[in-house]
Amino acid sequence: MSARDDFGHGTHTASTAVGVPVSLDDGSGDTMRGGAPKARLAIYKAYVISISLGNIVTDGHPTFLQDCNAIAVLHAFQNGVVVSSAADREYGFARNINQMTGYANLVVAKDAAIGNAYIDRASSCNDADSLDYNLIYGKIVGGVGVIVIDGAGTKEIGLSYDIPLATITPSEGEKLFAYMKSSNRPFAIILRTSVQQPTQHEPTVAYFSSRGPGSAPGIIKPDLAAPGRNILAAWPPFEKARADSIFYDIMSGTSMATPHVTGVAALLKALYPHWSPAEIKSALMTTAYNLDNSKKPIQTDSGNVIATPYDIGSGLLNPNAALDPGLVYDFDMEDIVSYLCSSAVGITQRTLQGLLGYQIECSNNSQLPHYDLNYPLIEVSNLRNKTISVYRTVTYRGKYGDPTDFQVEIENPKGVSIQVKPSTLSFQRDGSKATFRVDITPLQPLNKDVFGSYTWFNNVHRVRSPVAVQTQNTHF
């Protein structure tokens, strides 16, 4: 088995993560590069360890212990390896993410008319009756351009073809067909692609991104979002599917978003080699953007719908802020084992010992409440008419390590009260730790998921943690 890429996907994602700087040939003088261009890249082709998650969800306990990919990620975490994973493209269906625990960074990215042949409906050109027989009989039909009618109606996913191509919506397609029927010699001109300035409410969550919640109790999934739509990156010139030789191509998908996170994680690992995978993960998550370019909450691309943590996790990757996070949430294998031993997860001691290869103890005293894993986000399931107290510990990772105080800012979920005690954390040096309690209290019966956040801040840093509350109807 060769590690040489004959499909293009691996080259594209690898160059996004670690590609060296190259100059664009559009006359702008601009350059582009990957996230960590000085990193050393080792290429392995191993289909059985693909970190692209599907929608394997079953009733009852999660199935990740039977998933070789999840087990591989667990052992990578155990050995200090940072892993980024794509949430599979399931076109926005909720509750389809099967990433069990917090080992990995879980990231969230037709029909055509050819030539001058008449098409009487929006169908594939490969259909036997999609072209007018009287026009094509005895002729060689060659494509000089392609117009794709995007069934999703977005026009936002770039496609790369060997011939000129334009994408239109279904409503625009109806107008096109009406024009074609009204003229004896219909014609179209596909103009050269132009660069458009960002509009209001950018970025948005792509329709193809999978949504949460995940199947792990107490852990919000996905973790964060990153650019995944129309990503230009390197391409193997010998890739079999193309007739010409190209060195760069545009692709869309969660696979394109993941290497953006991987590149920043590589920079963090180089800058802070002593940090654990959980600390790097925390730095990426707690510094993420949750506002768009108009300073409003990030929306989904379905229009005027505010994205929740089950759409974007902590928010959009913010590389510069991640390099100086201020505070991080750390956890290790002992915490993971305690979490997996909890009754909410339901993994037996014998199963865990076989998986990890060493003796563990799943006693009642060692079990961690599933919502107390020291994760940068909080999810409380089945909140009833009582207060639940969640504990977290943060480590001070200021850029200069000077003494500082952090204050807390709270955004309450609808119908739920959040209190953080203490409301001020003091640190004397880099590596100092502080533990606090988050009290979550329902104020009224709710039958839907609600979301809020708490943010630790000083005059330099803002460390934000979303909170998701899954409530049940109760009598107050």
Side-chain angles (χ1 to χ4, degrees):
M1 180 179 293
S2 170
R4 172 166 287 189
D5 181 16
D6 61 358
F7 179 68
H9 185 279
T11 299
H12 195 280
T13 54
S15 70
T16 301
V18 299
V20 299
V22 295
S23 298
L24 300 180
D25 61 358
D26 60 356
S28 66
D30 294 333
T31 61
M32 66 177 186
R33 64 171 178 83
K38 294 184 179 181
R40 184 173 66 89
L41 181 65
I43 299 296
Y44 299 90
K45 180 181 284 187
Y47 296 109
V48 296
I49 318 177
S50 173
I51 311 299
S52 182
L53 302 179
N55 59 336
I56 309 171
V57 174
T58 61
D59 295 334
H61 294 311
T63 61
F64 92 110
L65 284 178
Q66 287 76 47
D67 184 345
C68 63
N69 298 324
I71 294 172
V73 172
L74 172 61
H75 285 288
F77 179 90
Q78 186 178 6
N79 287 278
V81 177
V82 181
V83 178
S84 297
S85 177
D88 197 21
R89 293 176 54 172
E90 292 298 331
Y91 300 99
F93 294 117
R95 302 179 186 273
N96 63 353
I97 295 176
N98 192 46
Q99 179 67 1
M100 177 62 183
T101 55
Y103 326 133
N105 301 314
L106 186 60
V107 185
V108 292
K110 296 178 180 172
D111 308 319
I114 292 184
N116 62 353
Y118 174 80
I119 300 179
D120 61 4
R121 65 181 183 281
S123 60
S124 168
C125 292
N126 291 325
D127 292 346
D129 58 351
S130 62
L131 301 178
D132 189 314
Y133 176 82
N134 295 322
L135 288 177
I136 66 173
Y137 177 74
K139 299 178 181 179
I140 298 177
V141 179
V144 296
V146 177
I147 300 175
V148 174
I149 299 177
D150 182 358
T154 64
K155 292 202 306 181
E156 295 182 2
I157 305 302
L159 300 174
S160 178
Y161 274 56
D162 295 334
I163 55 179
L165 175 142
T167 305
I168 62 177
T169 65
S171 61
E172 292 168 338
E174 292 298 325
K175 296 178 181 178
L176 174 63
F177 292 137
Y179 162 67
M180 294 170 66
K181 290 181 178 180
S182 68
S183 173
N184 292 326
R185 298 182 61 85
F187 71 94
I189 300 174
I190 299 178
L191 301 176
R192 182 181 178 86
T193 300
S194 61
V195 178
Q196 296 182 349
Q197 295 300 318
T199 60
Q200 280 193 328
H201 303 303
E202 292 290 343
T204 59
V205 183
Y207 74 91
F208 54 73
S209 288
S210 291
R211 308 305 206 257
S215 55
I219 296 178
I220 294 176
K221 290 293 177 179
D223 290 316
L224 73 168
R229 184 158 40 196
N230 298 335
I231 303 302
L232 177 65
W235 194 258
F238 45 81
E239 189 264 323
K240 297 175 181 177
R242 298 191 62 100
D244 58 348
S245 294
I246 61 171
F247 294 91
Y248 303 95
D249 205 354
I250 294 174
M251 295 185 71
S252 298
T254 53
S255 292
M256 283 65 253
T258 301
H260 286 84
V261 177
T262 304
V264 179
L267 290 177
L268 282 168
K269 189 65 176 176
L271 190 61
Y272 308 112
H274 61 288
W275 280 19
S276 70
E279 289 182 283
I280 292 175
K281 178 187 186 75
S282 174
L284 295 169
M285 294 171 62
T286 60
T287 58
Y289 295 109
N290 67 309
L291 302 178
D292 62 20
N293 61 347
S294 64
K295 305 302 180 183
K296 299 291 180 64
I298 293 175
Q299 300 180 359
T300 69
D301 64 359
S302 56
N304 298 322
V305 178
I306 294 177
T308 74
Y310 291 155
D311 297 311
I312 58 172
S314 298
L316 178 68
L317 177 69
N318 184 351
N320 289 335
L323 299 179
D324 183 21
L327 302 175
V328 294
Y329 295 80
D330 194 14
F331 56 87
D332 57 20
M333 278 303 298
E334 183 177 348
D335 299 315
I336 290 291
V337 169
S338 183
Y339 169 84
L340 294 176
C341 283
S342 68
S343 58
V345 180
I347 307 301
T348 67
Q349 176 176 314
R350 181 178 179 181
T351 299
L352 284 177
Q353 288 180 167
L355 174 65
L356 299 174
Y358 58 83
Q359 190 74 23
I360 63 168
E361 182 64 37
C362 274
S363 65
N364 290 332
N365 293 332
S366 69
Q367 292 183 13
L368 183 76
H370 67 274
Y371 44 74
D372 275 346
L373 179 66
N374 202 40
Y375 211 66
L377 293 71
I378 292 178
E379 179 186 72
V380 174
S381 304
N382 301 329
L383 181 65
R384 298 179 183 274
N385 57 340
K386 65 177 183 179
T387 297
I388 289 182
S389 296
V390 179
Y391 292 87
R392 289 290 187 268
T393 298
V394 288
T395 304
Y396 178 41
R397 293 300 190 194
K399 191 171 184 179
Y400 302 105
D402 296 331
T404 187
D405 293 337
F406 281 81
Q407 310 292 323
V408 72
E409 176 183 285
I410 296 173
E411 179 188 355
N412 287 308
K414 181 179 180 180
V416 175
S417 170
I418 295 178
Q419 290 186 315
V420 178
K421 301 178 180 180
S423 59
T424 301
L425 300 179
S426 298
F427 302 92
Q428 298 303 313
R429 65 187 65 87
D430 182 68
S432 300
K433 296 180 182 292
T435 298
F436 59 93
R437 189 181 79 218
V438 181
D439 293 334
I440 302 174
T441 306
L443 303 178
Q444 63 188 53
L446 294 172
N447 58 4
K448 65 178 182 178
D449 300 340
V450 291
F451 307 94
S453 66
Y454 65 91
T455 303
W456 292 106
F457 68 93
N458 61 10
N459 59 352
V460 176
H461 306 98
R462 290 186 62 83
V463 186
R464 182 176 178 271
S465 293
V467 176
V469 179
Q470 299 176 340
T471 60
Q472 289 187 343
N473 279 322
T474 56
H475 297 287
F476 280 73

